[in-house]
mmCIF file of all heavy atoms in Angstrom:
data_model
loop_
_atom_site.group_PDB
_atom_site.id
_atom_site.type_symbol
_atom_site.label_atom_id
_atom_site.label_comp_id
_atom_site.label_asym_id
_atom_site.label_seq_id
_atom_site.Cartn_x
_atom_site.Cartn_y
_atom_site.Cartn_z
ATOM 1 N N LEU A 6 42.467 16.606 25.997
ATOM 2 C CA LEU A 6 43.213 17.589 25.203
ATOM 3 C C LEU A 6 44.610 17.659 25.885
ATOM 4 O O LEU A 6 44.703 17.842 27.126
ATOM 5 C CB LEU A 6 42.584 18.972 25.267
ATOM 6 C CG LEU A 6 41.142 19.030 24.637
ATOM 7 C CD1 LEU A 6 40.291 19.983 25.392
ATOM 8 C CD2 LEU A 6 41.278 19.399 23.241
ATOM 9 N N ILE A 7 45.633 17.551 25.072
ATOM 10 C CA ILE A 7 46.972 17.703 25.525
ATOM 11 C C ILE A 7 47.572 18.944 24.925
ATOM 12 O O ILE A 7 47.701 19.025 23.665
ATOM 13 C CB ILE A 7 47.878 16.480 25.124
ATOM 14 C CG1 ILE A 7 47.198 15.163 25.749
ATOM 15 C CG2 ILE A 7 49.273 16.713 25.675
ATOM 16 C CD1 ILE A 7 47.943 13.932 25.356
ATOM 17 N N LEU A 8 47.880 19.927 25.732
ATOM 18 C CA LEU A 8 48.470 21.177 25.237
ATOM 19 C C LEU A 8 49.963 20.958 25.013
ATOM 20 O O LEU A 8 50.629 20.279 25.842
ATOM 21 C CB LEU A 8 48.254 22.236 26.339
ATOM 22 C CG LEU A 8 46.773 22.631 26.583
ATOM 23 C CD1 LEU A 8 46.793 23.773 27.675
ATOM 24 C CD2 LEU A 8 46.031 22.923 25.449
ATOM 25 N N ASP A 9 50.481 21.524 23.971
ATOM 26 C CA ASP A 9 51.917 21.402 23.689
ATOM 27 C C ASP A 9 52.645 22.515 24.453
ATOM 28 O O ASP A 9 53.134 23.491 23.891
ATOM 29 C CB ASP A 9 52.140 21.603 22.148
ATOM 30 C CG ASP A 9 53.532 21.253 21.759
ATOM 31 O OD1 ASP A 9 54.260 20.561 22.460
ATOM 32 O OD2 ASP A 9 53.987 21.730 20.689
ATOM 33 N N SER A 10 52.771 22.247 25.818
ATOM 34 C CA SER A 10 53.387 23.215 26.615
ATOM 35 C C SER A 10 53.936 22.485 27.834
ATOM 36 O O SER A 10 53.704 21.339 28.085
ATOM 37 C CB SER A 10 52.397 24.245 27.120
ATOM 38 O OG SER A 10 51.378 23.640 27.925
ATOM 39 N N ARG A 11 54.734 23.245 28.612
ATOM 40 C CA ARG A 11 55.233 22.789 29.860
ATOM 41 C C ARG A 11 54.166 22.888 30.950
ATOM 42 O O ARG A 11 52.937 23.124 30.559
ATOM 43 C CB ARG A 11 56.472 23.478 30.257
ATOM 44 C CG ARG A 11 57.628 23.256 29.250
ATOM 45 C CD ARG A 11 58.889 23.062 30.039
ATOM 46 N NE ARG A 11 59.925 22.754 29.129
ATOM 47 C CZ ARG A 11 60.460 21.528 29.132
ATOM 48 N NH1 ARG A 11 60.043 20.577 29.886
ATOM 49 N NH2 ARG A 11 61.527 21.274 28.355
ATOM 50 N N THR A 12 54.468 22.832 32.156
ATOM 51 C CA THR A 12 53.443 22.806 33.219
ATOM 52 C C THR A 12 52.734 24.170 33.406
ATOM 53 O O THR A 12 51.675 24.173 34.072
ATOM 54 C CB THR A 12 54.126 22.373 34.565
ATOM 55 O OG1 THR A 12 55.196 23.294 34.824
ATOM 56 C CG2 THR A 12 54.552 20.981 34.482
ATOM 57 N N ILE A 13 53.203 25.190 32.888
ATOM 58 C CA ILE A 13 52.549 26.561 32.931
ATOM 59 C C ILE A 13 51.585 26.607 31.747
ATOM 60 O O ILE A 13 52.002 26.596 30.632
ATOM 61 C CB ILE A 13 53.487 27.700 32.974
ATOM 62 C CG1 ILE A 13 54.398 27.607 34.197
ATOM 63 C CG2 ILE A 13 52.726 28.971 32.895
ATOM 64 C CD1 ILE A 13 55.497 28.621 34.282
ATOM 65 N N THR A 14 50.300 26.702 32.040
ATOM 66 C CA THR A 14 49.290 26.651 30.997
ATOM 67 C C THR A 14 48.952 28.032 30.534
ATOM 68 O O THR A 14 48.674 28.942 31.410
ATOM 69 C CB THR A 14 47.998 25.935 31.558
ATOM 70 O OG1 THR A 14 48.407 24.601 31.988
ATOM 71 C CG2 THR A 14 46.981 25.854 30.477
ATOM 72 N N ASP A 15 48.881 28.264 29.246
ATOM 73 C CA ASP A 15 48.500 29.538 28.677
ATOM 74 C C ASP A 15 46.975 29.703 28.896
ATOM 75 O O ASP A 15 46.201 29.051 28.239
ATOM 76 C CB ASP A 15 48.821 29.558 27.180
ATOM 77 C CG ASP A 15 48.477 30.855 26.506
ATOM 78 O OD1 ASP A 15 47.803 31.722 27.044
ATOM 79 O OD2 ASP A 15 48.936 30.995 25.292
ATOM 80 N N LYS A 16 46.587 30.592 29.748
ATOM 81 C CA LYS A 16 45.142 30.838 30.108
ATOM 82 C C LYS A 16 44.320 31.261 28.842
ATOM 83 O O LYS A 16 43.221 30.928 28.745
ATOM 84 C CB LYS A 16 45.061 31.725 31.267
ATOM 85 C CG LYS A 16 45.493 31.128 32.604
ATOM 86 C CD LYS A 16 45.359 32.106 33.655
ATOM 87 C CE LYS A 16 45.930 31.406 35.008
ATOM 88 N NZ LYS A 16 45.811 32.270 36.125
ATOM 89 N N VAL A 17 45.012 32.110 27.997
ATOM 90 C CA VAL A 17 44.328 32.630 26.858
ATOM 91 C C VAL A 17 43.970 31.458 25.937
ATOM 92 O O VAL A 17 42.837 31.363 25.340
ATOM 93 C CB VAL A 17 45.163 33.629 26.149
ATOM 94 C CG1 VAL A 17 44.509 34.128 24.813
ATOM 95 C CG2 VAL A 17 45.354 34.935 27.013
ATOM 96 N N LYS A 18 44.970 30.538 25.805
ATOM 97 C CA LYS A 18 44.731 29.360 24.950
ATOM 98 C C LYS A 18 43.595 28.513 25.531
ATOM 99 O O LYS A 18 42.655 28.050 24.800
ATOM 100 C CB LYS A 18 45.911 28.557 24.736
ATOM 101 C CG LYS A 18 45.759 27.308 23.913
ATOM 102 C CD LYS A 18 47.058 26.535 23.714
ATOM 103 C CE LYS A 18 47.713 27.134 22.551
ATOM 104 N NZ LYS A 18 48.844 26.269 22.085
ATOM 105 N N VAL A 19 43.556 28.268 26.767
ATOM 106 C CA VAL A 19 42.585 27.484 27.444
ATOM 107 C C VAL A 19 41.143 28.152 27.282
ATOM 108 O O VAL A 19 40.234 27.449 26.972
ATOM 109 C CB VAL A 19 42.927 27.251 28.966
ATOM 110 C CG1 VAL A 19 41.669 26.543 29.642
ATOM 111 C CG2 VAL A 19 44.127 26.419 29.077
ATOM 112 N N GLN A 20 41.134 29.450 27.405
ATOM 113 C CA GLN A 20 39.854 30.133 27.208
ATOM 114 C C GLN A 20 39.367 30.009 25.791
ATOM 115 O O GLN A 20 38.179 29.764 25.456
ATOM 116 C CB GLN A 20 40.024 31.661 27.539
ATOM 117 C CG GLN A 20 38.703 32.412 27.371
ATOM 118 C CD GLN A 20 37.650 32.021 28.219
ATOM 119 O OE1 GLN A 20 37.832 31.700 29.414
ATOM 120 N NE2 GLN A 20 36.416 32.064 27.738
ATOM 121 N N SER A 21 40.258 30.084 24.779
ATOM 122 C CA SER A 21 39.891 29.895 23.439
ATOM 123 C C SER A 21 39.447 28.468 23.190
ATOM 124 O O SER A 21 38.411 28.318 22.452
ATOM 125 C CB SER A 21 41.145 30.260 22.538
ATOM 126 O OG SER A 21 40.862 29.940 21.145
ATOM 127 N N ILE A 22 40.125 27.529 23.710
ATOM 128 C CA ILE A 22 39.641 26.139 23.515
ATOM 129 C C ILE A 22 38.271 25.876 24.168
ATOM 130 O O ILE A 22 37.395 25.256 23.572
ATOM 131 C CB ILE A 22 40.687 25.100 24.100
ATOM 132 C CG1 ILE A 22 41.949 25.199 23.270
ATOM 133 C CG2 ILE A 22 40.133 23.750 24.123
ATOM 134 C CD1 ILE A 22 43.100 24.472 23.945
ATOM 135 N N SER A 23 38.063 26.567 25.333
ATOM 136 C CA SER A 23 36.729 26.496 25.917
ATOM 137 C C SER A 23 35.640 27.106 25.082
ATOM 138 O O SER A 23 34.510 26.548 25.010
ATOM 139 C CB SER A 23 36.809 27.222 27.308
ATOM 140 O OG SER A 23 35.567 27.199 27.924
ATOM 141 N N GLU A 24 36.013 28.183 24.415
ATOM 142 C CA GLU A 24 34.955 28.831 23.516
ATOM 143 C C GLU A 24 34.673 27.992 22.305
ATOM 144 O O GLU A 24 33.551 27.892 21.846
ATOM 145 C CB GLU A 24 35.456 30.178 23.150
ATOM 146 C CG GLU A 24 35.487 31.206 24.279
ATOM 147 C CD GLU A 24 36.196 32.427 24.030
ATOM 148 O OE1 GLU A 24 36.763 32.676 22.912
ATOM 149 O OE2 GLU A 24 36.234 33.309 24.997
ATOM 150 N N ILE A 25 35.703 27.306 21.793
ATOM 151 C CA ILE A 25 35.504 26.392 20.677
ATOM 152 C C ILE A 25 34.620 25.221 21.112
ATOM 153 O O ILE A 25 33.737 24.856 20.378
ATOM 154 C CB ILE A 25 36.853 25.832 20.120
ATOM 155 C CG1 ILE A 25 37.614 27.083 19.450
ATOM 156 C CG2 ILE A 25 36.630 24.766 19.082
ATOM 157 C CD1 ILE A 25 39.027 26.748 19.153
ATOM 158 N N LEU A 26 34.860 24.709 22.271
ATOM 159 C CA LEU A 26 34.022 23.574 22.805
ATOM 160 C C LEU A 26 32.650 24.041 22.975
ATOM 161 O O LEU A 26 31.698 23.345 22.617
ATOM 162 C CB LEU A 26 34.591 23.082 24.093
ATOM 163 C CG LEU A 26 33.847 21.988 24.805
ATOM 164 C CD1 LEU A 26 33.669 20.745 23.951
ATOM 165 C CD2 LEU A 26 34.509 21.570 26.099
ATOM 166 N N ALA A 27 32.434 25.235 23.510
ATOM 167 C CA ALA A 27 31.118 25.688 23.752
ATOM 168 C C ALA A 27 30.371 25.921 22.450
ATOM 169 O O ALA A 27 29.172 25.616 22.353
ATOM 170 C CB ALA A 27 31.124 27.025 24.530
ATOM 171 N N SER A 28 31.030 26.444 21.425
ATOM 172 C CA SER A 28 30.443 26.645 20.096
ATOM 173 C C SER A 28 29.987 25.232 19.503
ATOM 174 O O SER A 28 28.890 25.179 19.055
ATOM 175 C CB SER A 28 31.440 27.368 19.229
ATOM 176 O OG SER A 28 30.966 27.406 17.939
ATOM 177 N N SER A 29 30.860 24.315 19.597
ATOM 178 C CA SER A 29 30.523 23.022 19.109
ATOM 179 C C SER A 29 29.313 22.384 19.851
ATOM 180 O O SER A 29 28.492 21.710 19.258
ATOM 181 C CB SER A 29 31.699 22.073 19.118
ATOM 182 O OG SER A 29 32.708 22.444 18.299
ATOM 183 N N ARG A 30 29.301 22.560 21.165
ATOM 184 C CA ARG A 30 28.185 22.055 21.912
ATOM 185 C C ARG A 30 26.900 22.795 21.658
ATOM 186 O O ARG A 30 25.812 22.159 21.678
ATOM 187 C CB ARG A 30 28.484 22.076 23.441
ATOM 188 C CG ARG A 30 29.657 21.172 23.738
ATOM 189 C CD ARG A 30 29.675 20.536 25.137
ATOM 190 N NE ARG A 30 28.425 19.989 25.465
ATOM 191 C CZ ARG A 30 27.836 20.131 26.667
ATOM 192 N NH1 ARG A 30 28.398 20.874 27.598
ATOM 193 N NH2 ARG A 30 26.755 19.553 26.953
ATOM 194 N N ARG A 31 27.021 24.029 21.288
ATOM 195 C CA ARG A 31 25.745 24.812 20.949
ATOM 196 C C ARG A 31 25.232 24.170 19.593
ATOM 197 O O ARG A 31 23.971 24.066 19.399
ATOM 198 C CB ARG A 31 26.007 26.285 20.754
ATOM 199 C CG ARG A 31 25.981 27.045 22.034
ATOM 200 C CD ARG A 31 25.945 28.560 21.804
ATOM 201 N NE ARG A 31 27.073 29.027 21.148
ATOM 202 C CZ ARG A 31 28.272 29.332 21.778
ATOM 203 N NH1 ARG A 31 28.393 29.144 23.044
ATOM 204 N NH2 ARG A 31 29.249 29.796 21.074
ATOM 205 N N ASN A 32 26.086 23.893 18.641
ATOM 206 C CA ASN A 32 25.713 23.382 17.409
ATOM 207 C C ASN A 32 25.106 21.930 17.494
ATOM 208 O O ASN A 32 24.209 21.593 16.768
ATOM 209 C CB ASN A 32 26.850 23.341 16.396
ATOM 210 C CG ASN A 32 27.322 24.774 16.077
ATOM 211 O OD1 ASN A 32 26.511 25.674 16.130
ATOM 212 N ND2 ASN A 32 28.560 24.906 15.623
ATOM 213 N N TYR A 33 25.729 21.125 18.369
ATOM 214 C CA TYR A 33 25.321 19.728 18.565
ATOM 215 C C TYR A 33 25.324 19.475 20.029
ATOM 216 O O TYR A 33 26.404 19.369 20.732
ATOM 217 C CB TYR A 33 26.387 18.790 17.890
ATOM 218 C CG TYR A 33 26.540 19.121 16.458
ATOM 219 C CD1 TYR A 33 27.639 19.875 16.026
ATOM 220 C CD2 TYR A 33 25.635 18.717 15.488
ATOM 221 C CE1 TYR A 33 27.815 20.250 14.662
ATOM 222 C CE2 TYR A 33 25.859 19.041 14.128
ATOM 223 C CZ TYR A 33 26.917 19.820 13.792
ATOM 224 O OH TYR A 33 27.127 20.164 12.468
#
């Protein structure tokens, strides 16, 4: 995953992406 950001990562976005990944992994 490449975030459209500079070197400071938006932790809220990373958490949201993590939740999306976890949801997809629960489904499959």
Side-chain angles (χ1 to χ4, degrees):
L6 298 145
I7 302 174
L8 302 181
D9 189 22
S10 64
R11 295 223 176 249
T12 56
I13 298 174
T14 303
D15 180 350
K16 291 180 183 180
V17 173
K18 180 178 272 193
V19 173
Q20 180 64 37
S21 175
I22 293 168
S23 175
E24 291 167 1
I25 292 168
L26 176 59
S28 174
S29 294
R30 292 211 51 223
R31 276 191 299 276
N32 294 335
Y33 307 97

